Amino acid sequence: DTEVTQTPKHLVMGMTNKKSLKCEQHMGHRAMYWYKQKAKKPPELMFVYSYEKLSINESVPSRFSPECPNSSLLNLHLHALQPEDSALYLCASSQPGANYGYTFGSGTRLTVV
Amino acid sequence: GESVGLHLPTLSVQEGDNSIINCAYSNSASDYFIWYKQESGKGPQFIIDIRSNMDKRQGQRVTVLLNKTVKHLSLQIAATQPGDSAVYFCAEKLTGGSYIPTFGRGTSLIVHP
């Protein structure tokens, strides 16, 4: 299995809702990442987990809460989002410190209404 | 045709032509560069990479050229096909720095049949 799987593919949520994005990989990668991508822009790094521990938080607002329950799973919990948080949320994985094998999922298209 | 990358975010070519996508990077301490292809509705996919101790690397129908003197990277696609239509991002990694790539501004490649 050489894929990163993200669910759901599409999500519409209200500003008072709580929802979660999920990411799964079975490549044995021990680093997992969340990115946010706005239309026609490059992906922007949000969080990095290395060996299931949060190693980088790129000053992301607390309404985004990441969780790494085990080495194969990465979640992003969403609460009280704003319409400007609407974007494509991408998950990626790799081996920590490796230049190669950086694999992205297809993303979750999030719309906040 | 050529794209100046940062100054011309869209490149239109005819099927069968060769495409050249350019990328200027700013950090002379970058030692590893990657090109990603992102099709509509998908996450970025690795195309080809190059280390700073090389100036050219070839893959299947793609060639990456690196000019460290002017901090310029290009992606050449031979015999461009409609399936090559996508947004292409260059990314760089800093020497001794984080192993996480920093994405540059993308270029949209449109291939006309």
Side-chain angles (χ1 to χ4, degrees), chain A residues 33 37 42 48 97-99 104-105, chain B residues 32 38 43-44 51 89 93 99 104:
Chain A
Y33 315 81
Q37 186 177 26
V48 179
N99 281 335
F104 281 89
Chain B
Y32 178 68
Q38 187 173 20
R51 296 188 181 280
F89 292 101
K93 291 185 179 179
Y99 54 88

Side-chain angles (χ1 to χ4, degrees), chain B residues 16-113:
Chain B
D17 286 353
N18 295 332
S19 301
I20 300 174
I21 300 171
N22 297 309
C23 178
Y25 64 94
S26 58
N27 199 322
S28 57
S30 294
D31 67 348
Y32 178 68
F33 304 87
I34 314 121
W35 279 100
Y36 288 94
K37 172 186 181 183
Q38 187 173 20
E39 297 176 88
S40 180
K42 297 185 179 180
Q45 293 176 281
F46 172 91
I47 302 173
I48 193 167
D49 58 1
I50 189 168
R51 296 188 181 280
S52 60
N53 61 354
M54 304 169 70
D55 53 21
K56 180 179 180 178
R57 189 162 188 228
Q58 289 185 290
Q60 187 177 11
R61 280 202 308 119
V62 293
T63 301
V64 56
L65 299 177
L66 176 62
N67 184 331
K68 294 180 286 294
T69 302
V70 295
K71 291 186 285 192
H72 183 268
L73 193 68
S74 69
L75 177 70
Q76 300 179 359
I77 304 174
T80 315
Q81 303 167 0
D84 295 326
S85 294
V87 177
Y88 291 80
F89 292 101
C90 64
E92 59 185 304
K93 291 185 179 179
L94 298 177
T95 304
S98 168
Y99 54 88
I100 300 164
T102 300
F103 284 83
R105 180 175 173 179
T107 297
S108 175
L109 175 64
I110 300 171
V111 182
H112 300 283

